[in-house]
Amino acid sequence: MMGFYFAQLLTGLANASSLFLIASGLSIIFGVTRVVNFAHGSLYMLGAYIAYSLVTTLPGVFGFWTGVILAAVATAFIGAAIEILILRRIYHSPELFQLVATFGVVLIVQDAALAIWGSEDLLGPRAPLLDRAVRIFGEPIPEYDLALIVIGPVVLGLIWLLFQRTRWGILVRAATQDREMVGALGVNQHVLFTSTFMVGSFLAGLGGALQVPRESVNLLMDLNIIGQAFVVVVIGGMGSVTGAFVAAVIISVANAFGVLVWPQISLILPFLVMAVVLIVRPYGLFGTPASAHGASVPEAPLRAMPPAGIAVAAIVAVGAALLPLADDGFLLVLGIDLLVAMLFAASLHLLMGVGGMVSFGHAAYFGLGAYAAALAVKSLGLPMLPAMLLGPVAAAFGAMVFGWFCVRLSGVYLAMLTLAAAQILWGITFQWQSVTGGDDGILGVWPARWASDRAVYFYIALALCGAGLLIIRRIAHSPFGYVLRGGRDSALRAEAIGIDLKAHQWLGFILAGALAGVAGSVFVFSKGSVFPDTLAIGHSVDGLIMVLLGGVQSLLGPLFGAAAFVLIEDWVMRLDHWRAIFGVIILAIVLLAPDGIAGGVGRLLTLLRLRRPA
Amino acid sequence: MLEVTALNTFYGGAHILRDVTLAVGPHEVLALLGRNGAGKSTTMRSVMGLVRPRSGRVTFAGADMTGAAPYKACRAGLGYVPEDRRVFRELTVAENLEVGRREARPDAPSWSVDQLFGLFPNLAERRGTAAGRLSGGEQQMLTIARTLMGNPRLILLDEPSEGISPLIVEQMAQVIGEMKSRGLAVMVSEQNLHFARLVADRAVIIEKGEVRFEGTFAALDAAPEIARETLAL
């Protein structure tokens, strides 16, 4: 028995090594550049694919390890290309831009990997000379696992030497604390940032390459690892390599024993550990307060809508109401999708644009609304309207529980905790098969008979989503909205004048969650089904893209953004390589219109006015 | 050696510098005087490229430096010591100096770590200590030493005497004297006329972003109302 537990411990430590490699790279990159690199999982995946191609070509022990190192080096150069072509242009943008831009890279890399290596899972060869198991306390332990257990601390030691004993390392540590000052002392930041990104990418590539003998190489590796890597970085403290190592060991060992108690725990355990750590130590085990925030730009005040705007809004509303007269098929379906997306995006904007709380997991509340409404119909046998009411109630309850923890943090840490919350809920819907149907979802959630006509349901959607949008507008311009915006611009000053900011933010979180829940319950009856991916990272990022597309600084922004997103998605999804095309579109928008569609149109108008001879 | 011509700098919509023009000659110590918020720091940050001026020109040793990246300004021979003691808190004293180290240049005095430890004996004793654990005065000394490691031709000192003890202020005056005697040009910003008089050859007074006075201390003494209006509290 003793031997069995020891074997579990060793497995956990072996897993920790590769998790540490990818997380340390992520952490180093964040420390210096303040970029939350979503594409880090893609670099890990590329490292694995490239290593697969190399080790299946190069013979022998020498060939294997050469292949692993070359794969990591190749990944480093891919990372450099990403940094130079994309990130360098948006270092001064809010973290949301960087996140969305790197998500664009994720999509492009997925399609590139699919095109090069195909969709089959690839099984790499075992590592030569390390392809057997040794018995420790009577339990067979793969030799390769033992090698990994050694490699992790060795790499940690090398990184430590690099950071403590070389001029480059000293410059990197200085830049982590005060980038501007390093520049004023004559250091070219471009070179420093690119080289940092290369080191981080090398580590991700190495982590991926070392996994080749252990597990199959596939197209899901990127997003599977990135959530865990985020968690490790946050637990360890953003920017701390030692922290990443300790956190990787904690997570992996806890996982190795956790699965003995409950096999499915691996999906949510990391996020539970993270939630606990962040509540006790809000900046992670080895983090410092200064490392919490990315770049920030002052927000312009919201303006009241001019009469012309109200007239346009009224015309749009009437036009929407007349839509069923024009078409009763495809356009109505698209119209409902649009309404749902608009409310989802606007509720996220309420949270991040008005409240200053960037959420990487807003889809959780959309999904809660959708699942609650579906379960109310399927399990409780409620009619449609009460079921639709239960959606936002459940979402509000979820937002109340998770929001209480989230509002205690700010900046990147808050965003990470929202991501963790969403992953926990996703894990539950995915695993709790008897209630949620697991991966198969809940099917046959159709509107009541009286609302089964598409035009009728369109009006229901229009009424609910329109009301939701009006409420958001009302909140933003209410005294409560002023408090949220004041807290967003300066939490310290808001609290200094006697405002209980956390209570207000909590309420804002709950309201945003409830409104996302409305969108979710409208969504579920329009589709007739709901699956776990409504709560997944991808859907949360969709919301972020919509807000970003439209521009964060205006209440109308998310509406434009949602409309653009739904229309682009509807068009692109029919094409081959839609991921790559979508990724390129995202990048183009982030790089060319950093203030979104609303801002871009505004700038275009100013430009035209200026060009016109006076 | 440094010429600033009609510089206008904005922070967002706020117009901070209005047509600021000044010059620092070789081997000269210029005091940039003014109250809090007058635009002294912004002038230095504009020269250094840390903020981009909207109009005007900065030339240094004959080359146009307007809006150049800070690292280029530094490599051209401009040294910058910020006002709020921005040491790298988690790095040791020796590591802070290493960040500032650059190759010696033929046209400027060069400084070695040992020379700087001679100039700042307190730092020598604490070379292995994290900079964040130094006293305020020691941190100020460290930021100056760190900039000198880059062997500048001209050094911009932003309020070096602010918030440190009188004893260290005296030491600071000696350090500025040492820089001058080694052939370095200095632009030092100050609110304190006495300190400025102690170290500088010439003064420029700036108020609400505009240059109000430019000349010797003798000229300033001849018109006492200027100092009263622009510097007195």
Side-chain angles (χ1 to χ4, degrees), chain A residues 69-219:
Chain A
I69 299 294
L70 282 181
V73 170
T75 312
F77 280 100
I78 295 168
I82 294 171
E83 198 275 342
I84 291 169
L85 295 175
I86 299 161
L87 293 174
R88 183 172 286 185
R89 289 153 219 279
I90 51 172
Y91 279 132
H92 295 288
S93 308
E95 56 243 32
L96 167 66
F97 283 69
Q98 296 148 4
L99 182 91
V100 169
T102 54
F103 193 76
V105 174
V106 169
L107 294 174
I108 294 171
V109 169
Q110 275 180 351
D111 252 6
L114 175 66
I116 299 171
W117 287 283
S119 59
E120 298 276 314
D121 281 19
L122 302 176
L123 278 171
R126 296 234 181 126
L129 296 186
L130 294 171
D131 49 358
R132 278 171 304 171
V134 288
R135 290 207 168 261
I136 299 179
F137 294 132
E139 294 285 327
I141 310 288
E143 287 171 341
Y144 190 72
D145 278 14
L146 295 176
L148 282 182
I149 293 173
V150 175
I151 289 173
V154 165
V155 172
L156 176 65
L158 290 174
I159 296 175
W160 188 86
L161 284 176
L162 182 66
F163 275 46
Q164 302 294 327
R165 294 283 180 267
T166 68
R167 175 173 168 82
W168 182 85
I170 291 173
L171 293 181
V172 165
R173 284 192 293 137
T176 306
Q177 293 168 48
D178 190 341
R179 283 193 269 177
E180 187 184 73
M181 200 59 232
V182 172
L185 290 169
V187 177
N188 185 347
Q189 291 200 17
H190 285 325
V191 175
L192 191 63
F193 280 26
T194 306
S195 55
T196 305
F197 214 86
M198 285 182 78
V199 170
S201 305
F202 177 89
L203 291 169
L206 185 63
L210 287 172
Q211 283 301 89
V212 171
R214 297 186 89 206
E215 54 184 61
S216 71
V217 184
N218 61 64
L219 292 166

Side-chain angles (χ1 to χ4, degrees), chain A residues 167 173 177-178 180 186, chain B residues 75 86 89-90 95 98:
Chain A
R167 175 173 168 82
R173 284 192 293 137
Q177 293 168 48
D178 190 341
E180 187 184 73
Chain B
R75 290 179 183 186
R86 285 159 63 177
R89 302 179 62 84
E90 289 164 33
E95 286 172 337
E98 171 63 24

